[in-house]
Amino acid sequence: MPAEFIRILIGLVAVAISVGLIGLVMVWVERKVAGHIQRRPGPYEVGPSGLLQPLADALKLVGKQLFMPDKADPILFWLAPVLSFLPVLLLFLPLPLGDGLYALDVNLGLLLILAFSGLAVLSLLLGGWASNNKYGLLGAARAVAQSVAYEIPLLLSVLAVSFVAGSLNLAEVVKGQGTWPWNWNIMTQPLAFLIYMVSALGETNRAPFDLPEAESELTAGFHTEYSGMGFGLFFLAEYANMVVVCAVATALFLGGWNGPVLPGPVWFVLKVSLLMLLMVFFRWTYPRVRFDQLLNINWKWLMPLAVLNLLATSFFVKLAQFTEVRW
Amino acid sequence: MTHSALPDQVAGDFYTNNFAKNAQEGSLILNLGPQHPSTHGVLRVVVEMDGEYILRAEPVLGYLHRMHEKMAEVKTAAQFIPNMGRVDYGHALGWNWAFVGAVEKLAGIEVPERAEYVRVITCELNRLASHLLWWGAYLLDLGAFTPIMYAFDDREKILDILQAPTGSRLTYSYFRIGGVAKDLNEDCLSRIRAFIPWMRERLPMYKDLVSDNIILRKRIEGIGVIEPEVCRRFGATGPVIRGSGIAYDVRRSDPYSVYPKLDFEIPTSDLMDARGRYDVRIAEFEQSLRIIEQCLDMMPEGDVLVKGAPKPSWKAPKGEAYFAVEGARGKIGVYLVSDGGKNLYRTKLRAPGFCNLSLFAEVSRGTILADAVAILGSLDLIIPEIDR
């Protein structure tokens, strides 16, 4: 068996475990932070400071009856949550936690992540469509319109960074950045970072862009009819997707594992956690935008800005190459 | 499953099927409610949608009908007071007052001056609690999860204050024919005095954090525009009509109790949209605080219940009377007819929410679903009041 294959296998197992763990921890963090924002303690009964509460919730979800509505399409209905969760495992493979600390060293790591994260929308569509529920259908329609729209500026902003770095390999991009914050890509590409983060919120269906599951309008949107682990997988996938977009943002814009004093992986995890906390703060402070506004933000602002940013970046990159040649 | 064997035509009830008869080709009939997070109770709205756009909407009522008017026919006037606290759980004291006031008008009972002040203070506190409840729930409708926690923090203080004299926290039956059940003691008054500056401090924070938020403004500005003429035609009252620029408030237009002696303004807004109604309610916080402040200073000593106040066996004299008060949601009216018998012959309750809801079908046409939810919330509906 080739070494590369074993490496991927170990990586997958590690990812599967850590996704579960991260999911549990993130649920706890989110509920605690939300609690403190809302002047209440959050979960505190189960375990120390309520740390085991997500585990209890997960056990409850596992133990629940899997219910399928009448006249729903059984194959598609159960395929959807699985499909939403499986690609997430792949997304973690090319993420560099430290120098040489990644499961899959691939030239097109960034492309791999973007391609497989695009699959998530398919599962939302299937789930909403197959559950034979009007709210589910509306949620699915929203999810597709939103994800398709926000993928474009996301891609364009990522492209700008890879132009500068000259590589689609995440580890290479990180190596191109220095130790200190002023050596990071966020200094040269602040606009791309902004566009990326806003699009990432849209991509992961997080508030204020959580329209596919807008509770007060669509009850729960595409996962209205899912019970037990059907819902649990969607939920886990959402958190895992959050981790992935934050990790990619860290690698691309915030210098990845680069940082003074502390070892690389610690810096990486710290930066990812910071971005995730930011996303949690957004969710608990802002109202939800309206659907047409959401698309307007994308098509009227993010898209043109991302294109302009890309053009400007490529112009300067070319300029730098020319001047180098002449010297 | 048994019902899967049924043909498609049988699916849906009378309202859905009747509504579906006039549906356009390719449209989607959606039932919002009776169990839906944004209808706050058991309101059901049948909507016909084209994508995200609403072509038609029709509220379906009756899921919380408890026959309050019929109950009034089998109870004596004094026995009926507890029912009034249960008509509108948001502003229970307004309903208390409307009924008690109607009976007093019918029987010509004079209320002691101190009781009038106690009524104004408790009623305005209850109005504050009701507006806080609306504010939190409305923002929840718009997808902001946090404001309701802060609103309930403040509301909790009001409920704690009202708990002492009234003995309950939500469904008050505190007013009596000829006064109120219990005087506000010194402890209660000092708590009210402490509450006013607390609430005043909170209002700027709400403005900075929530009311001025760009996402919120984009969500509520320019949607659900109701022309003043439409408001009049549908009999809308309260913040809904004031949000359309008409300064109609029963406390000023048809004064009762000690309100003529008090100095307060009727906030209005010319925006006519959901933002206008939002602004009016937010401005009413300050006005209610002003009223309470003045009442605390002006309140005389004395009894709070007239001597020989009606007992449960008391019979109302023959005649009829109508009395209206300004509730948190609009004009609360009670019309009584008595034939001199043991029970009141007829009690008609005029619920402001009923008229305000009737605007929804008109206003929501052509809006998108998210806006419809925002419009529904801006009307401040309490379903038990609408169904009675």
Side-chain angles (χ1 to χ4, degrees):
Chain A
M1 214 184 281
E4 187 68 5
F5 185 72
I6 292 171
R7 192 184 170 116
I8 293 177
L9 213 62
I10 294 172
L12 266 178
V13 171
V15 163
I17 293 168
S18 54
V19 166
L21 276 178
I22 290 169
L24 291 181
V25 173
M26 263 318 286
V27 170
W28 180 80
V29 169
E30 171 130 43
R31 291 183 62 179
K32 266 300 191 203
V33 170
H36 286 285
I37 288 177
Q38 300 181 343
R39 301 164 66 98
R40 56 190 176 84
Y44 64 91
E45 280 289 348
V46 191
S49 314
L51 250 173
L52 298 178
Q53 182 68 48
L55 200 67
D57 286 348
L59 281 178
K60 178 203 74 181
L61 280 180
V62 170
K64 276 201 165 181
Q65 183 191 3
L66 291 174
F67 180 80
M68 192 180 67
D70 194 27
K71 288 186 198 162
D73 187 323
I75 300 171
L76 293 184
F77 186 77
W78 292 120
L79 186 65
V82 179
L83 200 62
S84 81
F85 184 68
L86 274 186
V88 171
L89 296 179
L90 281 175
L91 299 185
F92 279 87
L93 289 182
L95 286 178
L97 255 70
D99 200 0
L101 195 62
Y102 38 79
L104 185 63
D105 183 22
V106 44
N107 279 338
L108 298 172
L110 205 49
L111 208 60
L112 184 99
I113 289 178
L114 291 171
F116 276 102
S117 66
L119 270 181
V121 63
L122 186 66
S123 67
L124 304 194
L125 175 64
L126 283 183
W129 176 258
S131 51
N132 187 27
N133 179 309
K134 289 168 181 172
Y135 291 112
L137 187 65
L138 283 169
R142 283 182 176 192
V144 172
Q146 182 175 336
S147 293
V148 168
Y150 274 84
E151 221 150 78
I152 301 165
L154 188 87
L155 219 98
L156 292 177
S157 63
V158 166
L159 261 184
V161 177
S162 63
F163 271 19
V164 177
S167 171
L168 280 171
N169 187 334
L170 278 171
E172 293 294 322
V173 177
V174 174
K175 276 178 197 156
Q177 306 173 61
T179 312
W180 299 98
W182 51 88
N183 300 336
W184 297 346
N185 280 341
I186 189 173
M187 299 313 289
T188 50
Q189 293 285 345
L191 189 62
F193 178 69
L194 254 176
I195 294 169
Y196 179 88
M197 278 320 282
V198 175
S199 312
L201 284 175
E203 242 337 76
T204 50
N205 301 330
R206 286 286 297 186
F209 301 146
D210 58 342
L211 286 121
E213 44 189 296
E215 188 192 303
S216 53
E217 296 151 30
L218 302 179
T219 54
F222 61 88
H223 61 58
T224 306
E225 293 290 357
Y226 284 91
S227 60
M229 271 322 274
F231 162 75
L233 282 180
F234 275 125
F235 196 63
L236 204 57
E238 183 189 318
Y239 278 93
N241 267 324
M242 259 173 79
V243 179
V244 170
V245 294
C246 289
V248 171
T250 306
L252 291 180
F253 297 100
L254 300 180
W257 67 75
N258 289 317
V261 191
L262 295 171
V266 176
W267 271 114
F268 193 82
V269 171
L270 264 180
K271 289 170 189 172
V272 172
S273 318
L274 202 75
L275 287 180
M276 304 246 294
L277 267 182
L278 203 68
M279 284 175 111
V280 171
F281 281 149
F282 282 150
R283 172 158 182 200
W284 296 101
T285 36
Y286 288 125
R288 185 182 302 121
V289 299
R290 209 168 59 201
F291 190 59
D292 56 327
Q293 291 167 351
L294 173 93
L295 294 182
N296 277 348
I297 295 170
N298 179 61
W299 297 106
K300 286 188 181 164
W301 291 100
L302 294 183
M303 231 20 176
L305 279 177
V307 170
L308 278 180
N309 186 53
L310 188 65
L311 281 176
T313 309
S314 45
F315 175 73
F316 282 112
V317 167
K318 260 286 178 251
L319 200 70
Q321 278 175 5
F322 271 127
T323 44
E324 249 168 49
V325 168
R326 204 166 294 164
W327 285 340
Chain B
M1 293 208 175
T2 48
H3 61 272
S4 65
L6 292 172
D8 278 341
Q9 293 91 311
V10 185
D13 66 349
F14 169 77
Y15 295 102
T16 323
N17 293 335
N18 209 35
F19 187 78
K21 268 182 203 156
N22 305 316
Q24 279 181 22
E25 191 77 18
S27 63
L28 178 77
I29 306 270
L30 185 69
N31 272 294
L32 288 175
Q35 272 84 37
H36 188 274
S38 70
T39 53
H40 304 293
V42 284
L43 173 67
R44 171 172 160 208
V45 186
V46 195
V47 289
E48 182 187 348
M49 298 178 65
D50 179 17
E52 287 262 340
Y53 285 88
I54 289 177
L55 301 173
R56 275 188 308 150
E58 194 178 290
V60 180
L61 300 178
Y63 291 90
L64 207 57
H65 183 56
R66 290 153 302 160
M67 303 185 288
H68 278 303
E69 289 176 5
K70 182 70 194 168
M71 273 193 254
E73 292 175 22
V74 295
K75 289 181 171 188
T76 65
Q79 281 174 335
F80 188 60
I81 295 172
N83 277 58
M84 301 314 290
R86 282 150 181 84
V87 175
D88 172 358
Y89 57 79
H91 195 211
L93 287 177
W95 280 92
N96 267 233
W97 201 345
F99 177 71
V100 164
V103 176
E104 282 159 3
K105 201 169 168 183
L106 180 67
I109 298 172
E110 276 291 316
V111 180
E113 175 128 37
R114 186 174 171 88
E116 294 282 17
Y117 281 99
V118 171
R119 282 182 178 184
V120 172
I121 291 171
T122 50
C123 189
E124 293 300 325
L125 277 174
N126 203 187
R127 188 191 312 277
L128 281 171
S130 173
H131 279 358
L132 280 167
L133 175 73
W134 163 80
W135 185 74
Y138 187 44
L139 283 151
L140 202 59
D141 285 352
L142 297 174
F145 301 98
T146 303
I148 193 168
M149 297 291 169
Y150 284 70
F152 269 56
D153 203 3
D154 298 343
R155 186 168 171 269
E156 194 67 17
K157 285 183 187 294
I158 299 175
L159 297 190
D160 284 345
I161 290 169
L162 287 179
Q163 192 179 0
T166 63
S168 50
R169 290 169 65 81
L170 196 68
T171 52
Y172 308 109
S173 52
Y174 175 53
F175 291 3
R176 294 287 179 271
I177 301 164
V180 295
K182 207 162 172 273
D183 197 3
L184 301 178
N185 59 20
E186 217 21 74
D187 174 51
C188 188
L189 290 175
S190 66
R191 283 168 80 175
I192 297 173
R193 280 197 191 93
F195 172 75
I196 293 170
W198 155 274
M199 194 63 217
R200 284 227 167 95
E201 255 173 52
R202 300 277 272 193
L203 291 176
M205 181 176 83
Y206 293 157
K207 184 181 185 308
D208 290 346
L209 288 181
V210 181
S211 304
D212 286 349
N213 182 293
I214 179 80
I215 300 178
L216 178 78
R217 282 175 42 200
K218 291 272 177 204
R219 279 299 302 275
I220 61 176
E221 274 170 11
I223 64 150
V225 175
I226 309 175
E227 298 289 333
E229 198 39 55
V230 177
C231 272
R232 280 224 176 85
R233 209 168 68 224
F234 281 79
T237 46
V240 175
I241 199 168
R242 294 197 285 275
S244 291
I246 300 176
Y248 178 76
D249 188 313
V250 184
R251 290 175 293 181
R252 278 281 182 258
S253 62
D254 189 8
Y256 54 98
S257 187
V258 290
Y259 280 114
K261 294 184 200 168
L262 301 170
D263 172 34
F264 66 99
E265 283 154 26
I266 306 298
T268 58
S269 169
D270 292 329
L271 295 171
M272 304 191 286
D273 55 4
R275 177 86 206 180
R277 300 189 274 282
Y278 180 96
D279 286 346
V280 164
R281 291 198 184 89
I282 295 294
E284 279 181 12
F285 279 119
E286 176 54 32
Q287 298 308 321
S288 285
L289 289 174
R290 263 176 78 184
I291 292 172
I292 296 168
E293 217 169 26
Q294 292 170 44
C295 283
L296 287 174
D297 294 338
M298 291 161 71
M299 197 157 71
E301 292 296 320
D303 287 338
V304 291
L305 194 58
V306 75
K307 293 267 183 310
K311 297 270 182 299
S313 59
W314 177 80
K315 284 178 188 159
K318 200 167 181 222
E320 54 186 285
Y322 177 76
F323 189 73
V325 298
E326 181 69 22
R329 268 154 284 284
K331 184 180 191 174
I332 300 172
V334 172
Y335 176 65
L336 300 175
V337 179
S338 171
D339 57 359
K342 201 167 127 236
N343 306 326
L344 293 165
Y345 178 74
R346 174 82 172 98
T347 305
K348 161 76 184 138
L349 310 176
R350 189 234 182 246
F354 185 80
C355 300
N356 294 350
L357 172 67
S358 62
L359 282 164
F360 178 72
E362 190 90 345
V363 181
S364 64
R365 196 173 293 138
T367 60
I368 65 177
L369 185 63
D371 280 350
V373 168
I375 294 168
L376 200 63
S378 77
L379 297 174
D380 188 11
L381 304 170
I382 297 268
I383 311 307
E385 177 198 59
I386 295 168
D387 281 349
R388 280 159 292 168

